């Protein structure tokens, strides 16, 4: 399959690999709105508010949402070329634990509930769905791939 699907836009401030930043950098800025409530913005003007203990998405839920959204882009972009889905839902669950490694998630599970209409287009979308889900999981989805592979996170104070 030659259809790579994740169209994650580039940071407009990024330069090529010879510059001070990598060519494909992602960036967000979080600002405090009030105690425990924050707004995260990207360089394109998008934003989302997060907090803990309210109806808004918590930071952990944002991580799970990132996994769902990333794989949704991969799967939806290609299947929709064959047929518009009748329904499209992805559930992501995880167990939050505290152990000798501190707080973290384990047993992350991504469940796809996607239905396509009867007919040739729906049949074609259903046929490629398992392969797309597998390729998203194993190759395309930057968010889940990063979680699975692990990435060093560095904190600094300026």
């Amino acid at each position: 399959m030659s259809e790579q699907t994740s169209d994650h836009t580039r940071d407009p401030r990024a330069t090529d690999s010879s510059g001070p930043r990598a060519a494909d950098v992602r960036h967000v800025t979080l600002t405090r709105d009030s105690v425990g409530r924050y707004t995260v913005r990207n360089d394109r003007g998008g934003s989302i508010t997060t907090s803990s203990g309210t109806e808004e998405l918590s930071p952990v839920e944002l991580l799970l949402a990132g996994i769902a959204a990333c794989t949704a882009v991969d799967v939806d972009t290609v299947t929709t070329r064959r047929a518009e889905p009748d329904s499209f839902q992805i559930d992501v669950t995880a167990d939050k634990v505290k152990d000798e490694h501190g707080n973290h998630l384990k047993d992350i599970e991504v469940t796809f509930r996607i239905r396509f209409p009867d007919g040739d287009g729906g049949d074609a979308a259903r046929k490629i769905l398992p392969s797309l889900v597998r390729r998203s999981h194993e190759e395309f989805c930057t968010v889940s791939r990063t979680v699975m592979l692990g990435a060093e996170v560095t904190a600094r104070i300026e």
Side-chain angles (χ1 to χ4, degrees):
M1 179 184 310
S2 64
E3 299 180 78
Q4 182 164 354
T5 57
S6 293
D7 180 29
H8 306 289
T9 57
R10 293 170 48 118
D11 183 313
R13 298 168 303 128
T15 60
D16 66 24
S17 59
S18 64
R21 298 185 70 175
D24 212 7
V25 171
R26 301 298 189 267
H27 174 256
V28 296
T29 300
L30 178 142
T31 55
R32 180 183 181 270
D33 299 326
S34 61
V35 174
R37 187 168 191 268
Y38 312 92
T39 298
V40 182
R41 291 181 175 81
N42 65 24
D43 295 331
R44 297 177 312 281
S47 67
I48 191 165
T49 302
T50 182
S51 62
S52 189
T54 70
E55 72 283 350
E56 294 169 322
L57 294 174
S58 72
V60 170
E61 291 165 336
L62 288 176
L63 175 65
L64 299 179
I67 292 170
C70 186
T71 197
V73 169
D74 294 336
V75 172
D76 191 33
T77 301
V78 177
T79 58
T80 302
R81 293 177 191 154
R82 278 92 177 151
E84 184 69 24
D86 288 334
S87 63
F88 192 105
Q89 180 177 320
I90 299 173
D91 290 317
V92 183
T93 60
D95 295 328
K96 184 176 178 187
V97 297
K98 182 176 184 175
D99 58 19
E100 66 275 8
H101 304 289
N103 294 343
H104 61 102
L105 299 176
K106 68 176 197 172
D107 300 328
I108 300 171
E109 184 174 270
V110 181
T111 303
F112 293 80
R113 292 186 178 89
I114 304 171
R115 303 290 177 260
F116 296 99
D118 292 335
D120 292 342
D123 291 344
R126 276 186 291 281
K127 182 177 180 178
I128 63 169
L129 183 61
S131 175
L132 286 171
V133 168
R134 179 185 53 76
R135 297 232 20 224
S136 180
H137 177 73
E138 294 176 357
E139 186 178 350
F140 299 144
C141 178
T142 304
V143 180
S144 62
R145 298 298 305 148
T146 301
V147 170
M148 291 169 59
L149 296 172
E152 186 162 333
V153 177
T154 304
R156 69 177 188 211
I157 299 172
E158 290 184 350

